[in-house]
Amino acid sequence: MLIRTRFAETSQVHRVRGPLAARQQLTFYREPVGGADYDPQEGRYLLLSRDAGGDEFWQLYRFDLDEGRTTLLTDGGRSQNGGWRWNNARTQIAYTSTRRNGTDRDIWLMDPTDPASDRLRMQNEGGSWIVEDWSPDDSQLLLRENISISRSRLYVADVATGEKRLVTPAEESIAYDAAEFAAEPGVLYVTSDRDHEFLRLARIDLANGAETPLPLESEWDIENFRLSPDRSRMAIVTNVAGISRLSLLETATGRVRPVEGVPVGVIYVGPWRPDGSEFAITLSNSRQPADVYAVRADDLTVTR
């Protein structure tokens, strides 16, 4: 597992090979690393994001593990780049960048092994666009446009043509937060406060735009969720009076299993293993800073 932790002046990337095993520091930059991700095919390199001197002009880099060499992948100028998402074929990323005019956050595609493949795919207006997901067949991207804290919109974009289609109401003040494609074609999973006080987990039918809340017994915000690689399971975090509760949803049956044995605190769901057997969480509370746990999907065993 890759973790980001700070032992000196800046947060750097470390590798942990097993529960409570000794960490191995991989990066030693003067600047902090904002995010890191293994290449999902062979794990030969990492994708990294870094800025310089806190200027928030985040750039993307490839860090080759065997050689310890860092390669700049984006323009290196006064632009913000980040929020990458791997396609399901594991051959390219979609990410956002302001390099076109320094303001608008456009969508770019790139094979990180070939920086020359970098290309602008979709131009956007406004500085708050996020790549949420690729469709299972990699033909579409799910995008979120944040307008305010209480209003956002979701779009489905054609990767081949760059054309975007709005799939949520245009004018209503609805907050959409997490969003991913379901395994079922033409369906999204989202968190939404549409017609409700709290963020609820819901399904959106792309054919007609119908939004249907899932029958989860909760009068609290669904803070975040993450689907397994085959989209058959979903790790869900619910905010219950300021404390995170973790559960696992079987998407085919709707069965929800609470995850016991997690310390009280605030939870963020991290990545799944490629085979879907386990997922990671980061947990913080008043007695400890952020710590990392793994949860097995079959028996919900929690391991620090």
Side-chain angles (χ1 to χ4, degrees):
M1 183 186 292
L2 292 179
I3 64 169
R4 190 164 55 97
T5 190
R6 175 175 172 173
F7 279 86
E9 295 182 353
T10 60
S11 294
Q12 299 296 318
V13 180
H14 301 245
R15 178 166 52 199
V16 178
R17 295 186 179 275
L20 302 182
R23 61 178 178 84
Q24 176 190 3
Q25 187 167 345
L26 299 178
T27 63
F28 295 85
Y29 304 118
R30 293 180 60 185
E31 304 291 347
V33 176
D37 193 14
Y38 273 115
D39 96 78
Q41 284 194 329
E42 300 178 10
R44 294 182 296 107
Y45 64 87
L46 310 180
L47 278 182
L48 305 173
S49 64
R50 289 190 292 135
D51 68 351
D55 61 9
E56 297 187 359
F57 292 117
W58 297 94
Q59 304 295 321
L60 302 186
Y61 299 83
R62 188 186 72 234
F63 178 79
D64 294 293
L65 289 164
D66 289 342
E67 303 170 6
R69 183 180 63 208
T70 303
T71 302
L72 176 66
L73 298 177
T74 45
D75 67 336
R78 295 180 66 80
S79 63
Q80 293 182 332
N81 307 269
W84 68 81
R85 293 289 183 271
W86 284 97
N87 66 349
N88 295 280
R90 303 178 180 181
T91 57
Q92 62 178 334
I93 59 170
Y95 69 99
T96 61
S97 176
T98 62
R99 80 184 69 170
R100 176 170 58 87
N101 58 16
T103 302
D104 297 323
R105 204 171 294 275
D106 300 324
I107 309 300
W108 291 66
L109 302 179
M110 184 202 317
D111 173 0
T113 65
D114 178 16
S117 68
D118 195 23
R119 67 189 189 278
L120 174 62
R121 179 68 280 180
M122 303 163 198
Q123 290 189 9
N124 297 319
E125 293 183 1
S128 189
W129 288 80
I130 298 170
V131 180
E132 291 284 3
D133 198 13
W134 292 75
S135 63
D137 64 359
D138 286 338
S139 67
Q140 297 176 314
L141 288 174
L142 178 57
L143 309 177
R144 173 157 55 97
E145 179 192 17
N146 290 328
I147 300 169
S148 69
I149 193 171
S150 61
R151 186 182 174 199
S152 52
R153 298 186 288 206
L154 297 176
Y155 296 77
V156 169
D158 187 283
V159 174
T161 66
E163 295 182 359
K164 299 188 291 287
R165 178 170 67 94
L166 180 65
V167 297
T168 55
E171 302 301 329
E172 295 184 44
S173 292
I174 302 171
Y176 291 95
D177 196 2
E180 293 188 40
F181 283 99
E184 180 183 349
V187 174
L188 305 179
Y189 287 112
V190 303
T191 55
S192 162
D193 66 357
R194 187 175 186 175
D195 301 325
H196 203 266
E197 181 181 357
F198 299 100
L199 285 170
R200 295 185 294 178
L201 188 62
R203 289 165 48 100
I204 294 180
D205 186 335
L206 294 178
N208 55 23
E211 183 173 324
T212 307
L214 271 65
L216 302 179
E217 296 182 4
S218 174
E219 288 301 316
W220 305 92
D221 281 332
I222 303 294
E223 288 196 321
N224 55 84
F225 70 83
R226 186 169 294 201
L227 285 165
S228 60
D230 66 358
R231 305 173 194 264
S232 66
R233 288 167 166 162
M234 180 191 296
I236 303 172
V237 176
T238 305
N239 181 336
V240 180
I243 296 174
S244 295
R245 302 298 185 198
L246 183 64
S247 58
L248 193 69
L249 168 70
E250 306 288 341
T251 58
T253 65
R255 179 192 179 199
V256 178
R257 294 182 290 160
V259 180
E260 308 292 347
V262 180
V264 173
V266 176
I267 296 171
Y268 177 79
V269 178
W272 284 78
R273 281 191 183 273
D275 64 4
S277 64
E278 194 173 20
F279 64 92
I281 61 171
T282 301
L283 182 142
S284 303
N285 59 31
S286 60
R287 296 184 178 182
Q288 66 184 39
D291 214 342
V292 178
Y293 295 76
V295 181
R296 289 199 57 82
D298 54 1
D299 59 8
L300 304 186
T301 298
V302 179
T303 302
R304 182 181 176 190

